[in-house]
Amino acid sequence: MQRVCFQLQVRPDRMAEYRQRHAAVWPDMLAALHETGWHNYSLFLRDDGLLIGYVETPDLAAAQAGMAATEVNARWQAEMAEFFVDLDGAAPDTGFVQLQEVFHLEDQLAAPQDSTATPPAAAPTTEK
């Protein structure tokens, strides 16, 4: 399962409405997301409009293509596009900035342990 984290920027003057729209997403949109491989999907909104999204999917490109083929997604993206800055004409579900995962606890716990690995040296202290 691929873990995807992404960011967008919501217009400050549209944040209240953005929250309201996501409090009750259309049932057919929810079903389409689920059916096209968007799992464990969450959105987090900071007070300055920074939006962070997280989704787990077998294949992000296939999940995006699946949604692009639905009528409900076309309607949803058309309505949501006006809430964001810096999309340069892209739809929100393809115009986001994808973040690189640098750590995942379960992956490291499941990995074989290298008994020769040494932890990084501690930072020098300034105690006297």
Side-chain angles (χ1 to χ4, degrees):
M1 188 73 61
Q2 184 180 7
R3 294 179 300 272
V4 179
C5 184
F6 60 87
Q7 76 177 52
L8 289 159
Q9 185 68 39
V10 177
R11 296 180 185 281
D13 61 323
R14 304 297 302 271
M15 287 178 33
E17 185 180 357
Y18 184 85
R19 284 186 181 98
Q20 181 183 18
R21 297 268 188 113
H22 284 82
V25 173
W26 307 330
D28 50 345
M29 183 65 174
L30 298 174
L33 287 164
H34 180 75
E35 291 164 6
T36 58
W38 297 71
H39 306 291
N40 199 22
Y41 185 20
S42 297
L43 297 172
F44 302 87
L45 184 60
R46 199 167 68 180
D47 288 343
D48 65 357
L50 177 67
L51 181 76
I52 299 295
Y54 175 82
V55 63
E56 295 173 355
T57 183
D59 181 330
L60 179 60
Q64 288 175 311
M67 285 304 291
T70 67
E71 180 275 333
V72 68
N73 190 61
R75 285 188 292 123
W76 182 265
Q77 297 306 321
E79 287 198 19
M80 291 295 109
E82 65 190 44
F83 287 86
F84 299 100
V85 298
D86 300 328
L87 286 179
D88 296 325
D93 63 342
T94 59
F96 56 72
V97 175
Q98 188 171 340
L99 305 178
Q100 179 184 13
E101 182 176 18
V102 296
F103 172 79
H104 186 253
L105 176 63
E106 283 72 17
D107 284 352
Q108 288 197 21
L109 288 173
Q113 298 301 311
D114 181 356
S115 62
T116 63
T118 57
T125 61
T126 55
E127 283 186 36
K128 293 185 181 183

